[in-house]
Amino acid sequence: MFKKGEKEIFRISLIISLLFILLSGCSGPSPEENIYTIFEKVVTLEDPFKEQQQPLKELEKKESELYNEIMDIGLKDFDKVVALSNEAVTVLEDRETRIEAEYESIKASKEEFELVNKEIEKIKDEKLAEKAKEIKTTMENRYSAYESLFDSYKTSISYDKELYTMLQKEDLTIEELEAQIKKVNDTYKIVMQQNDVFNELTEEYNKLKMEFYENASLNVDESK
C-alpha cells in the first residue's frame, strides 16, 4: 500500500507521463517534413510521364523516317505513298495515346502538389517559408508551361494527320502541300520552344527543392 505522500508523488508522476505521451502524439511531422513527403510523392506520380519519353522519341523518329520516304517517292508510286501515309497515321495515333498518358501523370502530380499550400502557411522560419513559396511559384509555372506544351503537341499531331490525309489525294496541288507543311513546321517550332521552357522550369524546381531540403536540415537521397 502507498503512504499518503507516496500516493501524491505517484499521482503527479502519472499525470506528467500522460501529458508527455499526449503531447508527443499530437506533435507529428513538421511542416517541412510534410512538404518533403508531398514533393517525393510528386516524383512518384510523374513516373508514368518519364516512362513515355523514350517511346515518344522513337515514334517521332519513326514518323520522320516515313515522311522522308514519302517525300523521296513523290509522284513515282502513289499506292506506296498511300500505304506509308496510313502507317504514319498509325504512328501518330500511338504518339497521341502516349501524350495523353503523359498528361494524366502531370495532372495527378499537380493535384498532389497543391497540398503544399497549407503546409507552407505553417512554416515558422521566415526564410524557409520564402524558399517554399519560391518553389511553389516555380512549380506552378512548370505546370502551366506543360499545359501549353501539351496543347501545342496535340495541335502538331492533328496537322500531321491532315498532311498524311492530303498525301492520299491524287489531285493534291503543290501549293496545298507546301501550305500544310508550313503549318506543321511552324507548330513544331512552337513545341520545341515550349519544351525548352518546361525543361528549364523542371531544372529550376529540382534545384530549389534540394536547397529547401538542405536549409530545412532534411536528410534526403539527392540521386532521386
Side-chain angles (χ1 to χ4, degrees):
M1 297 292 292
F2 289 110
K3 293 180 181 179
K4 185 177 180 182
E6 291 175 335
K7 284 183 179 179
E8 293 300 325
I9 293 170
F10 176 76
R11 192 176 292 126
I12 292 169
S13 298
L14 182 61
I15 291 169
I16 291 172
S17 298
L18 288 171
L19 284 172
F20 178 77
I21 292 169
L22 287 170
L23 288 171
S24 298
C26 292
S27 60
S30 67
E32 292 85 350
E33 289 170 328
N34 286 335
I35 288 173
Y36 167 80
T37 300
I38 292 167
F39 285 173
E40 295 311 300
K41 180 71 178 295
V42 163
V43 172
T44 301
L45 288 170
E46 289 198 14
D47 281 345
F49 166 82
K50 296 171 189 171
E51 290 164 5
Q52 301 305 322
Q53 302 310 300
Q54 188 57 37
L56 275 169
K57 286 180 182 177
E58 291 171 2
L59 287 168
E60 288 165 0
K61 181 182 178 184
K62 175 65 177 175
E63 193 233 314
S64 178
E65 290 170 351
L66 288 168
Y67 172 78
N68 289 333
E69 190 175 351
I70 290 169
M71 290 299 108
D72 287 342
I73 293 171
L75 300 174
K76 291 179 286 186
D77 189 341
F78 181 72
D79 289 340
K80 181 68 172 175
V81 168
V82 170
L84 291 171
S85 295
N86 284 327
E87 188 179 349
V89 169
T90 300
V91 172
L92 287 170
E93 288 171 349
D94 197 352
R95 279 175 59 193
E96 200 162 20
T97 299
R98 290 187 177 278
I99 197 70
E100 290 287 353
E102 188 183 272
Y103 177 75
E104 289 302 316
S105 174
I106 292 292
K107 190 165 71 171
S109 163
K110 183 179 179 182
E111 289 174 2
E112 176 67 21
F113 188 82
E114 287 172 355
L115 298 176
V116 83
N117 294 328
K118 63 180 181 181
E119 298 300 332
I120 291 175
E121 294 173 1
K122 300 175 187 175
I123 298 176
K124 295 178 181 178
D125 186 297
E126 190 175 329
K127 288 185 178 179
L128 206 53
E130 285 303 313
K131 176 64 71 175
K133 288 175 184 176
E134 186 179 1
I135 295 171
K136 175 178 173 289
T137 299
T138 301
M139 192 57 148
E140 287 173 345
N141 289 339
R142 176 179 178 267
Y143 288 130
S144 179
Y146 180 79
E147 287 283 349
S148 298
L149 172 59
F150 174 75
D151 289 342
S152 295
Y153 195 92
K154 289 270 288 182
T155 299
S156 72
I157 288 176
S158 69
Y159 286 167
D160 279 329
K161 283 183 178 179
E162 288 175 8
L163 173 62
Y164 292 116
T165 300
M166 290 173 67
L167 288 167
Q168 298 180 50
K169 291 170 52 181
E170 290 191 81
D171 59 347
L172 177 66
T173 67
I174 292 297
E175 290 76 21
E176 288 175 324
L177 179 61
E178 288 178 345
Q180 187 64 27
I181 290 174
K182 184 178 186 306
K183 278 173 66 176
V184 169
N185 290 339
D186 288 348
T187 308
Y188 182 72
K189 287 176 185 176
I190 293 170
V191 168
M192 293 301 292
Q193 291 167 357
Q194 291 174 338
N195 189 61
D196 287 343
V197 172
F198 174 75
N199 288 337
E200 287 168 9
L201 287 167
T202 300
E203 289 178 12
E204 179 66 12
Y205 165 75
N206 287 328
K207 173 177 161 291
L208 292 171
K209 183 178 74 170
M210 296 313 299
E211 288 175 0
F212 176 82
Y213 290 168
E214 184 179 349
N215 295 343
S217 299
L218 296 168
N219 294 319
V220 297
D221 181 2
E222 295 192 26
S223 65
K224 285 186 178 182

